[in-house]
Amino acid sequence: MKAIAVVPAKKEVRLIDHEEPRLVTPTQVKLRILDVGVCGTDKEICAFDYGTPPSGSEWLVIGHESLGQVVEVGRGVSRLRIGDLVVPTVRRACTHAHCRACRSGRQDFCLTGDFTERGIKGQHGFMTEWVVDDESFMNVVPSGLRDVGVLVEPLTIAEKALLQLRRAQKRLPWMTSLEEGEPIGRGQKAVVLGAGPVGILGAMALVVAGFETIVYSRDPAPNKKSTLLESIGVGYVSSETTTVDQLAEKVGNIDLVYEAVGASRIAFDVMRALGTNGAFVFTGVPGRKAPVEVDTDLIMRNLVLKNQMVFGTVNAGRDGFEAAIADLATFVTRWPAAVRSLITGRFPIEAHRDLLLGRAGGIKNVISMKASA
Ligand code: BGC
């Protein structure tokens, strides 16, 4: 079957002929891959910044944002049926007995770092025609989300952040009684850094969570993304025309900063403007560049005197995937055109070079396996 793989030892990215997987345990399912999203991580793997083939393999099949359809189920499969649409989780547990995270099914919090990730680290990914994996990693997507289901995985980043934020902000005495399903952001203001797919999906999730939301990004407005964001009630402010201090003045108390830009200089600059009792959430993974100057005294004073909190978040567990599927359905009901416009191109697998190595524009580009059949 066709697959897109990197061969790190030879610094090659190519379309390969990869062996079609078969069910080997009773609880496995086989998927026909429908769509695979291309993200920054895939491009970094193709630039050989990271990406580790499975042991014994020269290549790594890439791709971790996917939507598949169940075509075969093992005898022991109870939750899935042939024809179901599913999005598999990405991370697989380490094998250490003492890893409390992995042993409790929460490899997204793995303590040892010896987890694997499909399409990223130690396990082949989804940029191929067929995939086999255990049913426990599958998240069922309603058939009505067929055209946008590939956005589930990138949306899980915001969902995991929100699930943690919910628990963490219960530290505030008046938040402890927040009930299941009650929007956490009501009456609060959030600033999203960056208008890439993670930023836009994050902004959508924050609006649904009740936050008054502003995206702070580089490109001057109006532009395609600012228009899209404004159409869903999210403000857009360009860092080219508005300084961080002006932003802070405009917003008032910033209750949440959701960083989705992967650039530390701007992130720490905005950290100065975080409000009282506010939370700053990092999701980006910057490349290592030269150190930058940061006003650490101011940041430390604010953290203490304003009861602030900072945390980072990576990957997601089943709860994050389920929240993403539920939110995506809400987005499609509330903003059908805006959600669909996030997918700016669908391409056959043969077009992978431009998408992975070129400067393909757009918001989220998708390799559609049907288009290559
Ligand atoms: C993926 C995560 C993964 C992370 C680090 C991201 O692009 O969405 O699932 O954990 O990269 O490898």
Side-chain angles (χ1 to χ4, degrees):
M1 62 176 184
K2 293 178 196 169
I4 303 299
V6 291
V7 189
K10 296 188 183 154
K11 296 237 186 301
E12 281 175 7
V13 179
R14 48 185 167 95
L15 180 61
I16 60 162
D17 188 19
H18 189 69
E19 196 184 338
E20 189 174 320
R22 291 166 209 278
L23 302 192
V24 291
T25 74
T27 54
Q28 283 179 335
V29 297
K30 183 170 178 177
L31 310 182
R32 182 168 80 98
I33 295 294
L34 303 172
D35 287 337
V36 188
V38 176
C39 89
T41 301
D42 298 313
K43 293 182 188 168
E44 284 158 16
I45 294 173
C46 291
F48 309 100
D49 291 343
Y50 53 99
T52 315
S55 61
S57 169
E58 193 194 5
W59 65 72
L60 169 75
V61 175
I62 62 168
H64 59 278
E65 298 180 359
S66 69
L67 175 71
Q69 185 162 36
V70 177
V71 292
E72 199 183 333
V73 295
R75 287 180 276 114
V77 168
S78 57
R79 226 170 26 92
L80 299 174
R81 285 168 202 277
I82 289 173
D84 281 349
L85 294 182
V86 291
V87 173
T89 56
V90 175
R91 198 178 275 195
R92 304 291 174 260
C94 76
T95 54
H96 301 284
H98 66 270
C99 181
R100 290 181 71 186
C102 288
R103 298 294 68 77
S104 57
R106 290 309 302 254
Q107 49 268 24
D108 56 317
F109 288 103
C110 177
L111 286 155
T112 67
D114 289 337
F115 58 81
T116 58
E117 285 181 332
R118 293 208 62 159
I120 301 172
K121 180 176 181 274
Q123 289 217 37
H124 291 308
F126 307 131
M127 221 173 262
T128 184
E129 294 174 89
W130 311 96
V131 160
V132 165
D133 214 332
D134 199 84
E135 76 160 328
S136 59
F137 302 127
M138 301 298 155
N139 302 284
V140 179
V141 173
S143 57
L145 297 181
R146 162 67 183 89
D147 56 341
V148 291
V150 70
L151 298 174
V152 166
E153 199 279 343
L155 176 57
T156 62
I157 298 167
E159 300 295 347
K160 179 173 171 181
L162 277 166
L163 285 163
Q164 290 176 86
L165 186 73
R166 211 179 163 84
R167 296 208 179 102
Q169 287 300 48
K170 287 196 173 186
R171 72 192 173 126
L172 301 171
W174 58 93
M175 296 284 273
T176 44
S177 59
L178 196 73
E179 286 183 16
E180 181 89 32
E182 210 180 315
I184 182 196
R186 193 175 291 152
Q188 296 194 38
K189 292 177 179 165
V191 170
V192 174
L193 303 185
V198 176
I200 298 178
L201 287 166
M204 289 178 163
L206 292 174
V207 171
V208 170
F211 286 94
E212 186 182 325
T213 307
I214 285 188
V215 169
Y216 189 54
S217 184
R218 197 165 34 190
D219 291 345
N223 60 61
K224 279 195 183 129
K225 293 170 179 175
S226 69
T227 309
L228 184 157
L229 287 162
E230 275 154 17
S231 79
I232 65 161
V234 171
Y236 180 94
V237 175
S238 164
S239 59
E240 299 257 290
T241 50
T242 308
T243 65
V244 171
D245 295 308
Q246 289 165 334
L247 173 77
E249 203 166 309
K250 184 178 158 83
V251 178
N253 196 66
I254 300 178
D255 301 289
L256 172 68
V257 177
Y258 179 75
E259 179 281 320
V261 72
S264 61
R265 183 189 293 273
I266 182 74
F268 280 89
D269 200 18
V270 174
M271 196 182 278
R272 293 186 295 117
L274 184 64
T276 301
N277 302 333
F280 193 108
V281 185
F282 281 105
T283 77
V285 185
R288 296 284 303 276
K289 294 178 275 294
V292 297
E293 211 167 283
V294 175
D295 190 344
T296 50
D297 283 342
L298 179 63
I299 289 178
M300 186 163 160
R301 281 174 64 96
N302 282 349
L303 279 163
V304 172
L305 299 176
K306 298 186 178 179
N307 292 297
Q308 295 169 339
M309 169 172 82
V310 178
F311 68 89
T313 179
V314 68
N315 202 261
R318 178 176 291 285
D319 55 354
F321 278 78
E322 284 172 356
I325 293 165
D327 260 359
L328 196 58
T330 306
F331 300 174
V332 169
T333 311
R334 278 175 79 166
W335 315 299
V339 182
R340 294 199 171 96
S341 73
L342 292 180
I343 299 180
T344 39
R346 285 182 194 272
F347 302 86
I349 198 167
E350 288 75 14
H352 67 281
R353 293 199 81 79
D354 270 358
L355 300 176
L356 292 162
L357 307 170
R359 293 201 50 91
I363 303 176
K364 174 60 72 185
N365 288 317
V366 170
I367 290 184
S368 173
M369 288 302 156
K370 223 170 176 183
S372 15

